[in-house]
Amino acid sequence: MTSPRPDLAELELQELEAALDARGVERFHARQLYRWIYRRGVTDFDRMTDLSRDLRARLQTEFDVSTPRIVSDERSIDGTRKFVLELSDARRIESVFIPDTPSMTFCISTQVGCAMACGFCLTGKMGLVRNLTAGEIAGQVRVLASATGLLDFPFNIVLMGMGEPLHNYDPTMKALRMLHSEYGLAMSPRRITLSTVGIVPGLERLAREPLMPNLAVSLHATTDEQRTALVPPNRKYPLADILEACRRFPLKKRSRITFEYVMLDEVNDTPEDARRLVRLLSGIKAKVNLIPLNPAPGIPYGRPSDARVDRFAQILADRYITVSVRKSRGQDIRAACGQLIVEGGTKKSAAQQMALLLR
Ligand code: SAH
């Protein structure tokens, strides 16, 4: 049996140079390939017109460039677009384009499903199906940038789709390096935000990364008892440990850690919760992003009234904590936070689809 052809979509620039070198092809072609694949969105070697015919023919026989395939592209009335993407093993993930927030943002997945099992999140109900590869993570950005016509424009990335990025650490960081390459999309890490439930060893590794994205921590509760009930990994990594890792986290000038807080009606949205949150965050350069729950069938919580959200936000603001309330985008197409789950055709329910995925 012949071994599979190397997949250029999985290679960092230096790895691509080495792969070409090993085949007697000049290394500088790696930069040209990166430009075609990332900056121009072209993966068909035949269309790479600054490469010689001979080289194109060789690349064609010796390499692959796999790219997630768009299965559906739904538009919300607010302009949000939800893409269902199919991977080479036919697994599916979702990625979301959110226009104007304040700039263009792609919300990218890092796993098929998620092992964290947060009590209010639909993706958590799927369980973990598998990790995404670096090429699949970066590939979502290539696909969305092409599909939205944004290859030549600035955009932001949030790792807030399906999955827990620090539970798939190496591929996630490798994908960020691929997107950062100056011959590709040249993305600044300031335009990338990694959101995590707070896996402490992962936070400690992240603190030492040369290429450091902005950090968002999904907090959601102010006591260990309540947080463990809502975010099960809290049993292993309790609040004090997460906040200690945040205190030690190196921040660039003017930057802050974002704490996300999903608001569940009459569960974690009381004035006492808000006051406890203020105390927990003392000594941390923090801002708080309140996310009123996006309700969904099978999720046993409700969305608080605007008045409850405002009262909570006011308590934080009165203690000089920067606070914002996340607008829910794309709810009509189930593209909002916590609503990403791969659903089949309209006849299959989410639960049926989950059962299929988990077989
Ligand atoms: N695993 C990472 C990345 C997923 S981000 C993390 O948890 O941070 C997804 C964000 O949406 C998280 O802050 C998550 O808590 C939030 N979220 C999940 N379900 C939600 C729901 N039903 N309504 C609103 N926000 C939700």
Side-chain angles (χ1 to χ4, degrees), residues 277-325:
L277 183 56
V278 171
R279 283 198 294 278
L280 286 177
L281 297 182
S282 79
I284 301 179
K285 279 172 75 182
K287 55 187 175 189
V288 172
N289 190 205
L290 300 176
I291 317 173
L293 178 78
N294 296 312
I299 299 296
Y301 301 102
R303 180 191 185 89
S305 66
D306 289 350
R308 289 181 77 89
V309 176
D310 289 346
R311 183 178 56 174
F312 195 99
Q314 193 61 51
I315 294 172
L316 302 181
D318 286 345
R319 309 297 199 284
Y320 306 105
I321 292 182
T322 307
V323 55
S324 54
V325 179

Side-chain angles (χ1 to χ4, degrees), residues 114 116 118 120-122 159-165 195-197 216-218 220 260-262 291-296 299 326 337-339:
C114 185
M116 300 299 114
C118 299
F120 45 80
C121 178
L122 276 185
L159 299 177
M160 296 187 186
M162 304 168 79
E164 166 51 47
S195 178
T196 176
V197 294
V217 175
S218 289
H220 310 323
E260 297 160 283
Y261 194 98
V262 171
I291 317 173
L293 178 78
N294 296 312
I299 299 296
R326 189 179 296 176
C337 299
Q339 297 191 318

